[in-house]
Amino acid sequence: MYLVEFFAPWCGHCKALVPEYEKAAAALKGVVRTAAVDADAAKSVAGEQSIKGFPTIKFFFSDATGKTRSSTYEGARTAEGIVEWAMAKASKAAMTRLGGGGVGGGTGGGGGGSDDGTRKPRGNGFYPVGSPVVTLNADDFASGGAVSATPGPYLVEFYAPWCPHCQSIKGDMEQAARSMKGRVSVGAVDCDAAENKPTCGDQGVEGFPTIKLYVPGKRSGKIFKGERSAAAITEWALSEGAAFFAPPKVHELTSHKLWSDACLAEGSASRPVLCVVSFVPAIHNASAASRSKQIADLREVAKRFVAYDIAYFWAVSGEHPDAQAALGLEGPGLVGFSPSKQAHAQHLGATDVDSVSDFMSLLTRGKVGLRPLAGSMPAFSTVPAWDGKDWTPPPGYYDDEL
C-alpha cells in the first residue's frame, strides 16, 4: 500500500504542504509507504493517473485479485487529516482482501437529527434513544426506507464510535438537529457495525465523520466539507435543502392567541427565531388589489427566506394600537421581532419584494440593530378577518356632504 503525492515544484500549495506531508510520512512509517512524484518531470505518469491539479494525494493498493486500485484524498491538507484517511484506507484495503468490505477514516463533517414520530425509536450507545440524532441502519437506505421515503431533505452522519472527531462533534450534531427540527431530518449510521459496512461502502464513505445530505429524487447524497460546528452544518443543510421546504404560512393577525401560538410559542421547540409583521393600510385608505399584492409580496419574501426559522404575519395598521406602538410603528410598515430577545427592528420603506428582501437579508445576518421593548408586549386586539373586498361606505356616510 502506497500513499503518493503528485506535485509541481512551482505550486505554492505544494510547498506549503511539504512539512505536513513529511509529518504524515513519519507517522505512517512501517504501516503505509509514502512517496512523492514531480508531475512536471513525470508528465506521462501524472497523465495516466488523471492528475488535474496540485497537490493531489492518492492511495494505491492491490485488491484480492491483484488488481491495483486507487482513491484520491479530498480532505484538509494537514498531517492529522492525511494520516487518519490513509489509515482508514489501509484498513479498508485489508478488509477487502479478506472479503469483509470494511470502511474507514476520511473527510467530511457530522450530523444531528430528529425523528418524525412515525417509526419506533432507535438508538445505540453513541446516539441513544431520545437523542435528536436518529440511529439509522441499512434498511433506511433501501427503497421505501427512512432516507429515501422522507419527502424532505435528510442529513446523515456516517461515523465510527472509536473516532475522536466523531466523539467531539456529537454535541454540535445534536444541536444542529434541534435547530433544523421539522425542516431537515437527521440521522447517523455506525459504520463500524458489521451490518452497516456494506451500506457505508455503497454510499462512498471513506472517512469519519462524513456528513451527506440526501434530497428527494436523488440517490446519492451531497457531502459536507465545511467547518465541523453546529452553526456551519445547520447553515449548509438549510441552504442546500431549501428548495424542498414548504413555504411558511403568512398569518392574518386577528387575535393575540394567534400571535402567542405562532410567534411567542413559549417553551416550545418550534418557537421561531424571528417574527415578521407587515402592518398594511386600512382598507378605506387603500384597495383590495393593493392589499392583496402586499400580502402576496410578503409570501414571496417568505419563500426567499424559507431556510430561516421565521413566522410571518400581516395586520391592519390601527387595529392593534398598543401592540403596534410597542413595536415602534405609528402607521403602516414592517417590523421584525425576536421573541427570545423581546426586541424589534422596523422597515419603513417600500413594501415590494426586493425592498423587503433587502431588509430581511440584513436582519437575518444580524446587520440590523434590534431595539428592546420598553416593557412587556401588549396584546394584539381581536378583530374580524378581512373579507377580501374593497371598502364600502356605510349608509349615510356622505350625508353631511350634501
Side-chain angles (χ1 to χ4, degrees):
M1 292 177 277
Y2 269 95
L3 187 71
V4 181
E5 175 199 1
F6 293 85
F7 71 95
W10 45 262
C11 163
H13 293 300
C14 302
K15 295 175 183 177
L17 180 63
V18 169
E20 295 298 316
Y21 193 67
E22 288 179 342
K23 290 179 188 176
L28 293 168
K29 187 175 181 180
V31 182
V32 176
R33 295 180 179 180
T34 56
V37 174
D38 181 346
D40 263 4
K43 287 186 170 63
S44 60
V45 175
E48 289 174 1
Q49 296 301 323
S50 301
I51 304 302
K52 297 179 180 179
F54 307 114
T56 293
I57 298 174
K58 301 192 79 171
F59 181 87
F60 295 87
F61 73 99
S62 298
D63 62 18
T65 67
K67 183 178 180 180
T68 299
R69 298 183 179 275
S70 66
S71 183
T72 303
Y73 178 62
E74 297 180 351
R77 292 169 180 162
T78 63
E80 183 183 49
I82 294 168
V83 169
E84 183 181 341
W85 181 79
M87 290 299 293
K89 297 304 294 181
S91 174
K92 182 175 181 179
M95 291 300 292
T96 300
R97 291 173 181 174
L98 285 173
V103 178
T107 65
S114 55
D115 202 344
D116 60 8
T118 62
R119 52 179 282 171
K120 183 178 180 180
R122 231 196 275 150
N124 56 24
F126 201 80
Y127 288 114
V129 172
S131 168
V133 180
V134 177
T135 297
L136 303 174
N137 59 29
D139 293 340
D140 295 309
F141 290 85
S143 178
V147 175
S148 60
T150 298
Y154 213 119
L155 188 72
V156 180
E157 175 196 4
F158 297 90
Y159 72 93
W162 47 260
C163 163
H165 295 301
C166 304
Q167 294 165 7
S168 65
I169 205 174
K170 280 178 62 178
D172 288 286
M173 297 309 99
E174 292 184 321
Q175 183 179 338
R178 285 188 287 268
S179 298
M180 298 188 292
K181 185 176 182 180
R183 291 176 290 170
V184 177
S185 299
V186 193
V189 180
D190 179 359
C191 291
D192 210 37
E195 64 272 20
N196 293 333
K197 286 184 177 181
T199 296
C200 295
D202 291 343
Q203 297 304 318
V205 177
E206 296 184 345
F208 309 122
T210 290
I211 298 175
K212 286 192 168 188
L213 184 72
Y214 296 82
V215 297
K218 293 188 177 181
R219 294 178 61 86
S220 59
K222 184 172 184 179
I223 192 168
F224 172 68
K225 296 182 179 180
E227 178 188 349
R228 290 169 177 168
S229 69
I233 293 166
T234 299
E235 181 179 358
W236 177 80
L238 291 177
S239 176
E240 292 291 330
F244 300 91
F245 300 157
K249 181 179 180 180
V250 176
H251 305 274
E252 179 184 1
L253 256 178
T254 56
S255 70
H256 190 71
K257 184 179 186 305
L258 175 60
W259 172 257
S260 181
D261 291 346
C263 177
L264 302 183
E266 294 180 1
S268 171
S270 60
R271 186 179 192 177
V273 174
L274 284 172
C275 300
V276 172
V277 187
S278 177
F279 287 92
V280 304
I283 196 65
H284 61 267
N285 290 327
S287 66
S290 63
R291 176 180 285 188
S292 295
K293 183 180 185 306
Q294 194 167 344
I295 297 169
D297 284 350
L298 186 59
R299 290 195 181 100
E300 183 58 35
V301 170
K303 290 180 182 178
R304 290 189 180 186
F305 291 85
V306 68
Y308 295 87
D309 193 5
I310 302 173
Y312 293 86
F313 307 84
W314 71 271
V316 177
S317 178
E319 288 190 348
H320 311 273
D322 294 338
Q324 187 172 348
L327 293 173
L329 290 177
E330 297 180 355
L334 184 138
V335 61
F337 175 74
S338 168
S340 62
K341 297 179 180 178
Q342 292 287 290
H344 55 85
Q346 298 80 31
H347 169 69
L348 302 176
T351 58
D352 61 279
V353 175
D354 288 340
S355 297
V356 175
S357 293
D358 288 343
F359 169 73
M360 291 295 295
S361 179
L362 295 172
L363 187 63
T364 54
R365 289 186 289 121
K367 301 297 183 180
V368 176
L370 297 177
R371 181 180 302 174
L373 291 174
S376 59
M377 180 70 191
F380 281 86
S381 307
T382 298
V383 296
W386 180 43
D387 60 9
K389 300 178 182 179
D390 280 308
W391 179 70
T392 302
Y397 183 79
Y398 296 109
D399 289 354
D400 290 344
E401 298 180 7
L402 299 177

